[in-house]
Amino acid sequence: MMQNEMKNVIVANRKKLKMTQEQLANKLGVSTSVVCKWECGNRYPDTSMLPDLANLFGISIDELY
C-alpha cells in the first residue's frame, strides 16, 4: 500500500514540474529505468535518496509516503 502511494506521489510531482523520467533521473543521478521502476511500483527509492527527492519536489519526506 505504501509503495503504491509513493509511486503516485513521484509521478504526480514529476509531472507537476513538467519533467520526463529521464530528466528526473539525471537530476538524482540514477538511471531512467530506476525512475520507471519507482513509478511502476516495482521498487522503492533508496532511503538515502528520499531527502533529495523531497527537496526537488518541494515536499517533505513524509509526503512521499
Side-chain angles (χ1 to χ4, degrees):
M1 178 98 116
M2 181 173 60
Q3 190 171 18
N4 190 38
E5 292 170 12
M6 185 179 289
K7 76 176 186 177
N8 292 338
V9 171
I10 293 171
V11 171
N13 281 280
R14 177 180 60 78
K15 288 183 177 182
K16 183 176 162 183
L17 294 175
K18 298 181 179 171
M19 295 175 73
T20 64
Q21 288 181 339
E22 183 177 11
Q23 290 169 323
L24 179 60
N26 288 337
K27 287 198 176 277
L28 296 171
V30 298
S31 69
T32 304
S33 65
V34 167
V35 173
C36 183
K37 288 177 185 177
W38 295 344
E39 293 188 357
C40 290
N42 296 329
R43 189 170 168 187
Y44 284 113
D46 187 82
T47 55
S48 66
M49 181 91 30
L50 296 181
D52 292 333
L53 194 55
N55 186 47
L56 181 65
F57 291 154
I59 61 176
S60 70
I61 293 174
D62 289 341
E63 289 175 279
L64 286 172
Y65 290 100

